[in-house]
């Protein structure tokens, strides 16, 4: 039982390049989330998927798109990376009501030059 | 709207001393409350949570927190700090229904001095 896995662990992009961050969970959880973590700002929600087939914007969605490929996988895409998107990205999953605990992956450290 | 305030971005304690990390929340209704810990270059790990029932909740590694509705607080404590407690700690809240999105505080970095 690997929990929540994320790939890649590190990535360096040039401004304007695109990439997809992958997230998968093997806990049969219904809900999945993408956060970004920046120094002094805590974690902020980018997008979430309350259940398979649905996605919704969080607090900071601009510049990102997501896909809930199936119940296990939730990807985050940067179409045209900008230096402001340099951050650590965390994926999380939650079983669903009434379980309210989110379980986090190890993170992807992204640098945009 | 929900928000979380963590007082003190950095806290230093001596090994064996009391650890107190402060968290206050703002919410129109009492939310669910969480403390997560993040060790260097790792993801977030749940320390403890409050949902309903007893307001003093115990978590892993000897930590506990008390929900005080009148003070809108959920401070994290540990009687005796250990070197291995050095990490960043995040307080978070979520609403009791719906998407359960977590709202995080800005974090408190705990340093333990030998």
């Amino acid at each position: 039982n690997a929990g929540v896995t994320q790939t890649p662990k590190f990535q360096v992009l040039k401004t304007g390049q695109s990439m997809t961050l992958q997230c998968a969970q093997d806990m049969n959880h219904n809900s999945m989330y993408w956060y970004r973590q920046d120094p002094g700002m805590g974690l902020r929600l980018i997008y979430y998927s309350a259940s398979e087939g649905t996605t919704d914007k969080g607090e900071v969605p601009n510049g990102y798109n997501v896909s809930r490929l199936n119940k296990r996988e939730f990807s985050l895409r940067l179409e045209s990376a900008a230096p402001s998107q340099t951050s650590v990205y965390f994926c999380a999953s939650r079983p669903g009501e009434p379980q309210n605990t989110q379980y986090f992956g190890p993170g992807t450290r992204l640098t945009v030059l | 709207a929900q928000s979380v305030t963590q007082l003190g971005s950095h806290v230093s304690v001596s090994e064996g001393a009391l650890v107190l990390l402060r968290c206050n929340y703002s919410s129109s209704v009492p939310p669910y409350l969480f403390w997560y810990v993040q060790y260097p270059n790792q993801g977030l790990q749940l320390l403890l949570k409050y949902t309903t029932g007893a307001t003093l909740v115990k978590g892993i590694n000897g930590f506990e927190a008390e929900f005080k509705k009148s003070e809108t607080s959920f401070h994290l404590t540990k009687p005796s700090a250990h070197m291995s407690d050095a990490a960043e700690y995040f307080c978070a809240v979520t609403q009791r229904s719906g998407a359960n999105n977590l709202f995080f505080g800005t974090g408190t970095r705990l340093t333990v001095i030998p």
Side-chain angles (χ1 to χ4, degrees):
Chain A
N1 200 345
V4 180
T5 57
Q6 293 182 235
T7 56
K9 291 187 176 180
F10 302 93
Q11 184 71 50
V12 178
L13 294 177
K14 295 181 179 179
T15 297
Q17 288 185 317
S18 63
M19 80 161 294
T20 300
L21 280 64
Q22 305 288 354
C23 173
Q25 52 90 11
D26 61 1
M27 298 176 283
N28 201 35
H29 287 177
N30 289 327
S31 302
M32 298 185 74
Y33 306 80
W34 275 106
Y35 294 88
R36 60 177 289 172
Q37 182 182 26
D38 301 294
M41 301 189 73
L43 280 78
R44 293 178 293 167
L45 182 66
I46 305 171
Y47 270 93
Y48 67 97
S49 171
S51 61
E52 187 179 357
T54 68
T55 60
D56 285 286
K57 295 179 180 179
E59 182 183 354
V60 289
N62 291 344
Y64 305 95
N65 285 300
V66 290
S67 295
R68 184 75 183 266
L69 304 171
N70 47 55
K71 192 171 186 178
R72 289 187 64 248
E73 299 172 289
F74 189 39
S75 62
L76 178 71
R77 182 160 178 85
L78 286 70
E79 291 291 350
S80 179
S84 61
Q85 295 179 304
T86 293
S87 188
V88 181
Y89 292 84
F90 289 99
C91 179
S93 69
R94 181 176 72 90
E97 295 292 339
Q99 295 295 324
N100 40 58
T101 300
Q102 291 187 21
Y103 298 85
F104 285 79
T108 294
R109 187 174 295 273
L110 175 67
T111 301
V112 183
L113 303 175
Chain B
Q2 300 179 73
S3 66
V4 177
T5 301
Q6 291 184 242
L7 289 178
S9 58
H10 291 86
V11 170
S12 293
V13 300
S14 297
E15 190 175 15
L18 172 71
V19 176
L20 171 60
L21 305 182
R22 299 177 186 275
C23 173
N24 288 87
Y25 68 90
S26 173
S27 177
S28 55
V29 295
Y32 293 142
L33 295 151
F34 303 81
W35 276 100
Y36 282 87
V37 60
Q38 184 180 33
Y39 298 102
N41 300 313
Q42 294 187 25
L44 278 71
Q45 179 182 1
L46 180 69
L47 266 181
L48 50 78
K49 66 178 180 180
Y50 171 77
T51 55
T52 58
T55 55
L56 180 64
V57 292
K58 296 185 184 298
I60 61 172
N61 302 337
F63 284 92
E64 61 183 35
E66 186 171 12
F67 169 59
K68 292 187 176 181
K69 183 179 177 181
S70 61
E71 299 177 8
T72 61
S73 68
F74 191 56
H75 301 330
L76 182 70
T77 60
K78 182 174 181 178
S80 177
H82 193 273
M83 295 298 294
S84 61
D85 294 327
E88 189 153 22
Y89 293 80
F90 292 94
C91 182
V93 302
T94 186
Q95 59 196 28
R96 288 178 172 266
S97 62
N100 292 118
N101 298 336
L102 280 171
F103 294 87
F104 283 87
T106 53
T108 298
R109 184 169 299 278
L110 176 67
T111 300
V112 181
I113 303 166

